[in-house]
Amino acid sequence: VGAVGNGRYFASVEVVSENKTLDANTMLFSPLTNVTGELVYAELGYPENFSFSNFTGKIALIKRGILTFEEKVKNAYHAGAIGAIVFNNEFGNFHGTLGNESRISAFSISQEDGKYLLDLMNRTTVVTRWNQAIVIDYDSVYYFSSLGPGPGYTIKPDIVAPGYHVNSTTRNGKYGKHAGTSIATPHVSGACALLLQLHPDWTPGM
């Protein structure tokens, strides 16, 4: 069983008081949740950078560099932040990954937009509203899945099913979004079980 599904993320950061919208990228493994909150600067995102201000219920603005994005966002979460924005340390924006599922959403923005927010924060309280969505195309095979043909020029896989951004159970009784042929295969197995229940005389080929 092959896996189909490719997702495109759309994200933006709205500076509420300025009626201005900034381009942003959703970091890989970031929850797809929209948040609104006051920005607080956390410099490079070390644990001590969160000790000088109250981050509870707020959004951490962090500069890229030295620490991994995962470490920066985890430190923000432990400080009580509801989200994190990492701005680039060189020209332009970037695509970052958190390594594992994050508890809070994280965006990346350009160096220019990061400096703009910092300058604005020095003059007034800055509240941002995040907007993000994912559009999934289930008409194409996901990049990690086999396209065929297989050994001996056999056409494999035989069938495909949704295998990207699928909501399923995780450990500790929680839920999460998963991807893989190990997600696509249960779709087909479940369908086959229902078909066999309806038609117990059907062969595997049928």
Side-chain angles (χ1 to χ4, degrees):
V1 179
V4 293
N6 281 297
R8 291 181 296 147
Y9 286 88
F10 299 91
S12 64
V13 173
E14 180 185 349
V15 185
V16 176
S17 61
E18 301 294 298
N19 195 25
K20 182 181 178 69
T21 301
L22 311 177
D23 290 331
N25 292 323
T26 301
M27 289 196 175
L28 190 62
F29 297 111
S30 170
L32 199 67
T33 54
N34 295 322
V35 297
T36 299
E38 178 186 341
L39 281 183
V40 182
Y41 188 40
E43 300 184 29
L44 286 170
Y46 283 99
E48 55 266 29
N49 294 143
F50 294 91
S51 62
F52 302 106
S53 301
N54 178 19
F55 284 84
T56 303
K58 299 178 182 179
I59 296 171
L61 179 66
I62 309 172
K63 184 178 181 179
R64 182 183 185 182
I66 305 180
L67 298 179
T68 66
F69 303 129
E70 182 180 6
E71 290 172 316
K72 292 175 186 286
V73 175
K74 277 186 177 179
N75 291 337
Y77 167 74
H78 289 305
I82 58 174
I85 299 176
V86 180
F87 66 93
N88 209 351
N89 55 1
E90 56 187 34
F91 181 78
N93 202 347
F94 64 96
H95 291 275
T97 177
L98 301 178
N100 287 291
E101 294 289 340
S102 172
R103 299 287 187 90
I104 58 175
S105 292
F107 281 5
S108 65
I109 61 173
S110 68
Q111 182 184 55
E112 299 73 32
D113 287 340
K115 289 181 176 179
Y116 158 75
L117 290 174
L118 277 177
D119 179 65
L120 190 62
M121 291 166 64
N122 287 330
R123 294 184 279 116
T124 185
T125 299
V126 178
V127 175
T128 61
R129 180 185 298 119
W130 296 8
N131 300 293
Q132 57 180 336
I134 183 172
V135 176
I136 301 176
D137 172 21
Y138 284 116
D139 290 328
S140 57
V141 177
Y142 195 37
Y143 74 91
F144 59 64
S145 189
S146 174
L147 297 170
Y153 301 102
T154 56
I155 301 300
K156 295 291 179 182
D158 295 301
I159 193 169
V160 293
Y164 175 74
H165 207 71
V166 176
N167 194 37
S168 183
T169 54
T170 63
R171 289 178 295 180
N172 303 321
K174 298 180 180 179
Y175 294 86
K177 301 292 184 180
H178 300 274
T181 50
S182 56
I183 301 299
T185 302
H187 276 91
V188 176
S189 300
C192 289
L194 291 172
L195 283 170
L196 284 173
Q197 186 179 28
L198 183 65
H199 303 284
D201 57 323
W202 278 16
T203 65
M206 295 169 67

